[in-house]
């Protein structure tokens, strides 16, 4: 099937799988803007599949277009481009596959299906000589897939680092600025509609993990399965950590990173990290997203903008739809692997660490902790004793280490937890390295 016009009104037929806030914004972009502003590539919303047809929607679509019947979109010969906005793997994977096999182009905002089954879907698209575009799946309105796929192909990508989850960035920013605790800010984010009722995908780092998997596959031409990516969410970050981090010259962000290291291979990781206050990533606040790409030819590049929201996501979806409508070149092997990278283990990652302990405030405690770290070949950079509780004889010990190997740190942490004088290990956070500094 080609990009020839098939809908009754001429132009290309678009079928929407999902007409929630993003689907409505896409439909509006087609009906209220695109048709009048760029008649050279007429687009028509031929069908939209929804769960509940009775729901009122803020777009001027003929009600006959909206139904619960999948066959009005998937494999319907009047639909040239399927826009998949359902999310999740099941049943989206099957619907996308069926559409591609029927010769329909697909545009998706679905990071989970692109992370977990993207290679299969891209292969199906190539076999059927149709496009599968997914700019909206990562970082909402920020163009990042297109640059990695097209503009930066001459580069060897050295690293990708980003804040690519707006919900967690909103929460961490509030915690940093207001000294609030995670649970309180999460409730506020839920009441404002920034966080889902079940916030797991965002706060436990799954959303960022899917997105970095998609970006890493493109940047490094290799499969980066979601289960090889190190993942930690933000539930264990406490208001106190922002206070102490700030005294040390840092803030805390949920970072998603894919970094190539010649010797050990490609390491992908998602975790909260201490970021020096004077680097741009430290100032990406609220629901904003940012991605820093370092290529060997271009050097460092910086992409920042709205990572979610109906209109920014519709912007990315429509960019892909219009590219197809204008006759994008036939599907190349953008997921091919000229020289796949080996996947590195998190155990080999080297960085500085921030450790916060609740310990007894008595002689020899710090010496014991220092001995355990020393035995694991970890050198201490600085120590703060804070919030001494004279009545109970406790204090917070905040230790910054010099760069150390992750496996050494994990074994040291197990031993520190066993020390009689250590009541709790409250936080273990990695410090992100920038240039020569941490
Ligand atoms: N839930 C995502 C976020 C937006 O908070 O960034 C969709 O990818």
């Amino acid at each position: 099937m080609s990009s020839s016009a098939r809908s009754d009104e001429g132009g290309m037929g678009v079928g929407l799988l999902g007409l929630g806030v993003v689907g409505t914004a896409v439909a509006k972009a087609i009906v209220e803007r695109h048709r009048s502003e760029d008649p050279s590539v007429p687009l028509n919303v031929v069908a939209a599949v929804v769960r509940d047809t009775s729901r009122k929607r803020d777009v001027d679509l003929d009600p006959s277009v909206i139904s619960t019947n999948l066959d009005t979109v998937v494999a319907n010969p009047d639909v040239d481009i399927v826009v998949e906005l359902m999310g999740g793997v099941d049943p989206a994977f099957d619907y996308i596959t069926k559409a591609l096999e029927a010769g329909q182009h697909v545009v998706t905002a679905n990071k989970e299906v692109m992370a977990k089954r993207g290679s299969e879907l891209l292969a199906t698209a190539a076999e059927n000589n149709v496009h599968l575009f997914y700019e909206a799946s990562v970082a909402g309105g920020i163009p990042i897939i297109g640059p990695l796929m097209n503009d930066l192909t001459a580069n060897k990508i050295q690293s990708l680092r980003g804040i690519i989850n707006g919900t967690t960035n909103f929460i961490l920013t509030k915690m940093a600025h207001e000294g609030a605790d995670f649970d309180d800010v999460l409730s506020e984010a839920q009441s404002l509609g920034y966080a889902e009722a079940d916030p797991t995908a965002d706060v436990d780092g799954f959303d960022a993990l899917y997105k970095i998997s998609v970006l890493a596959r493109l940047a490094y031409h290799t499969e980066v399965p979601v289960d090889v990516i190190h993942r930690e969410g933000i539930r264990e970050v406490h208001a106190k950590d922002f206070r102490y981090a700030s005294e040390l010259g840092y803030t805390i962000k949920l970072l998603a990173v894919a970094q190539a290291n010649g010797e050990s291979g490609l390491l992908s990781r998602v975790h909260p990290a201490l970021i020096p206050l004077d680097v741009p990533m430290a100032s990406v606040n609220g629901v904003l997203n940012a991605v820093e790409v370092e290529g060997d030819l271009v050097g460092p590049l910086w992409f920042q903008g709205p990572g979610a929201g109906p209109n920014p996501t519709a912007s990315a979806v429509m960019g892909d739809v219009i590219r197809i409508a204008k006759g994008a070149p036939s599907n190349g092997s953008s997921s091919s692997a000229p020289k796949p990278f080996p996947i590195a283990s998190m155990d080999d990652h080297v960085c500085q660490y921030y450790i916060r302990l609740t310990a007894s405030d008595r002689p020899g405690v710090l010496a014991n902790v220092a001995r355990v770290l020393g035995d694991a070949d970890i050198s201490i950079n600085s120590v703060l004793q804070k919030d001494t509780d004279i009545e109970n004889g406790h204090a917070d010990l905040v230790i910054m280490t010099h760069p150390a190997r992750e496996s050494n740190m994990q074994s040291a942490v197990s031993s520190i937890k066993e020390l009689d004088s250590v009541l709790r290990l409250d936080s273990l956070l990695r410090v992100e390295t920038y240039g020569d500094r941490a």
Side-chain angles (χ1 to χ4, degrees), residues 171 175 180-187 203 234-235 237-239:
I171 294 172
M175 290 175 73
D181 268 316
F182 172 79
D183 289 331
D184 295 336
V185 183
L186 173 60
S187 303
V203 303
I234 63 163
R235 289 185 202 264
V237 180
H238 301 271

Side-chain angles (χ1 to χ4, degrees), residues 269 271 273 346 348-354 378-379 401-406 409 429-433 438:
R269 50 193 169 90
H271 56 76
M346 188 66 185
D348 298 325
H349 181 51
V350 173
C351 66
Q352 287 189 275
Y353 290 83
Y354 159 104
I378 298 167
S379 169
T401 72
H402 283 296
R405 213 164 158 259
E406 174 82 14
M409 179 52 76
L429 293 167
R430 298 172 189 84
V431 181
E432 190 62 16
T433 305

Side-chain angles (χ1 to χ4, degrees), residues 181 236 238 240-241 243-244 354-362 365 369 384 386-389 392-399 412-428:
D181 268 316
E236 302 305 323
H238 301 271
K240 264 188 181 181
D241 294 316
R243 182 148 56 88
Y244 300 154
Y354 159 104
I355 307 165
R356 178 165 63 86
L357 310 167
T358 305
S360 305
D361 187 19
R362 56 181 162 80
V365 172
V369 175
L384 298 174
K386 307 295 276 183
D387 282 9
T388 304
D389 176 348
N392 291 307
H394 301 160
D396 288 348
L397 272 188
V398 178
I399 300 171
V413 156
S414 305
S415 306
I416 288 171
K417 284 180 182 164
E418 299 297 311
L419 293 173
D420 286 345
S421 49
V422 171
L423 279 79
R424 272 191 319 272
L425 189 136
D426 300 287
S427 298
L428 176 69

Side-chain angles (χ1 to χ4, degrees), residues 62-309:
D62 183 336
S64 68
V65 161
I66 303 172
S67 80
T68 55
N69 180 2
L70 268 171
D71 297 337
T72 61
V73 170
V74 177
N76 172 1
D78 288 335
V79 172
D80 302 278
I81 304 170
V82 174
V83 175
E84 186 271 311
L85 302 167
M86 308 165 71
V89 171
D90 192 21
F93 175 81
D94 290 341
Y95 297 164
I96 296 172
T97 302
K98 200 168 164 197
L100 296 170
E101 287 174 349
Q104 294 171 302
H105 304 288
V106 175
V107 173
T108 180
N110 186 335
K111 63 238 153 190
E112 186 174 353
V113 80
M114 289 311 296
K116 292 181 175 169
R117 311 289 299 269
S119 297
E120 292 161 77
L121 291 173
L122 289 165
T124 305
E127 278 158 27
N128 290 280
N129 201 26
V130 287
H131 294 293
L132 168 60
F133 287 162
Y134 51 102
E135 181 63 68
S137 67
V138 178
I142 302 176
I144 183 67
I145 306 265
L148 286 173
M149 206 183 269
N150 303 303
D151 316 77
L152 299 173
T153 40
N155 286 264
K156 287 195 179 101
I157 303 297
Q158 286 149 338
S159 68
L160 288 169
R161 271 197 288 216
I163 293 173
I164 49 179
N165 182 268
T167 305
T168 46
N169 204 41
F170 173 85
I171 294 172
L172 294 176
T173 303
K174 280 246 163 199
M175 290 175 73
H177 294 177
E178 296 172 14
D181 268 316
F182 172 79
D183 289 331
D184 295 336
V185 183
L186 173 60
S187 303
E188 186 185 344
Q190 285 170 319
S191 64
L192 289 170
Y194 289 137
E196 307 277 343
D198 176 359
T200 307
D202 293 314
V203 303
D204 293 317
F206 290 99
D207 178 84
L209 173 139
Y210 300 145
K211 291 168 177 169
I212 198 69
S213 164
V214 169
L215 293 184
R217 179 174 55 219
L218 269 175
Y220 295 100
H221 309 283
T222 196
E223 269 311 294
V224 187
V226 292
D227 53 8
V228 304
I229 301 176
H230 179 86
R231 176 189 57 79
E232 286 171 36
I234 63 163
R235 289 185 202 264
E236 302 305 323
V237 180
H238 301 271
K240 264 188 181 181
D241 294 316
F242 284 96
R243 182 148 56 88
Y244 300 154
S246 149
E247 283 187 35
L248 294 161
Y250 298 89
T251 189
I252 303 169
K253 298 287 185 189
L254 182 71
L255 271 194
V257 182
Q259 218 155 14
N261 175 324
E263 286 150 37
S264 51
L266 173 65
L267 179 64
S268 304
R269 50 193 169 90
V270 172
H271 56 76
L274 266 68
I275 311 281
L277 284 168
D278 61 352
V279 304
M281 199 66 89
S283 307
V284 178
N285 288 326
V287 292
L288 277 182
N289 280 196
V291 183
E292 191 182 66
V293 182
E294 177 116 24
D296 65 338
L297 293 178
V298 71
L301 289 175
W302 179 255
F303 301 79
Q304 179 177 326

